Amino acid sequence: VLLYELYPKRDLSFLAVLLAMLIGGTVANVVSQILFDVFPLENKWLAAVLTGFFEELPKAAATLAVLIVAKNRSPLAGFVFGAAVGCGFSIVEDMGYIFVSANELSSLNLTTVIEIAFSRGATAFCTHILWTGAVGWAFNISKRMLANFVVYPVILLSCSLHIVWD
């Protein structure tokens, strides 16, 4: 909502941004979970590396699909739609962390659940939202979404930042 409100042009529909968040973020998360199921990660170091790719690449693909459907070629609109996909992904992922941690507790500890929700929510803006927003910007920086030389280093950078974060 903040990025939508700060967007200087009024050529984006709030419903389109909301749908990008809900559908794009959820689809990216489902694809990410499928990758984790197909390629089980035993080694923690390898898991940290592959998690960067298993999460960032589906978000990039979902962002590309959203931008193709939205037909808005503005780099700033690409950032807003990418950030929406990243936000949706983060919400679904955070709900999973909250439910799993609540389920693993012997009794419901509301303080722990709230701490997880706030800590994950506070870091989402500078991780999934920002990284996927940058990918959306990169897709729209050129007239040709996949044939520009900016998008691939930005996707690799988002994967790398995720790896370092993990």
Side-chain angles (χ1 to χ4, degrees):
V1 171
L2 173 68
L3 290 175
Y4 176 79
E5 286 298 321
L6 292 175
Y7 183 71
K9 299 177 185 176
R10 291 294 167 211
D11 60 346
L12 291 184
S13 158
F14 182 72
L15 181 61
V17 175
L18 185 65
L19 288 173
M21 182 183 79
L22 294 173
I23 297 171
T26 302
V27 167
N29 206 293
V30 168
V31 171
S32 176
Q33 292 306 312
I34 290 170
L35 288 171
F36 283 116
D37 286 343
V38 171
F39 303 102
L41 306 172
E42 306 286 329
N43 181 318
K44 288 192 180 216
W45 287 100
L46 183 61
V49 171
L50 291 180
T51 295
F53 292 100
F54 286 2
E55 292 187 4
E56 296 305 319
L57 294 179
K59 288 190 304 178
T63 300
L64 178 63
V66 165
L67 293 174
I68 289 170
V69 171
K71 296 180 183 167
N72 190 321
R73 302 295 297 136
S74 158
L76 191 53
F79 184 86
V80 171
F81 278 120
V85 170
C87 182
F89 184 94
S90 186
I91 290 170
V92 173
E93 183 183 52
D94 294 350
M95 286 172 42
Y97 277 106
I98 291 166
F99 291 138
V100 166
S101 68
N103 191 40
E104 290 176 350
L105 297 171
S106 58
S107 64
L108 183 60
N109 184 344
L110 198 54
T111 305
T112 303
V113 172
I114 291 172
E115 285 175 0
I116 292 169
F118 276 108
S119 67
R120 298 225 22 114
T123 60
F125 190 75
C126 57
T127 55
H128 288 299
I129 296 171
L130 180 62
W131 300 336
T132 314
V135 170
W137 168 84
F139 276 129
N140 276 358
I141 199 77
S142 168
K143 291 186 191 278
R144 298 179 302 181
M145 293 175 132
L146 292 173
N148 74 59
F149 296 106
V150 175
V151 72
Y152 299 106
V154 171
I155 291 172
L156 186 60
L157 178 64
S158 73
C159 292
S160 300
L161 289 170
H162 197 137
I163 291 166
V164 170
W165 182 265
D166 285 348

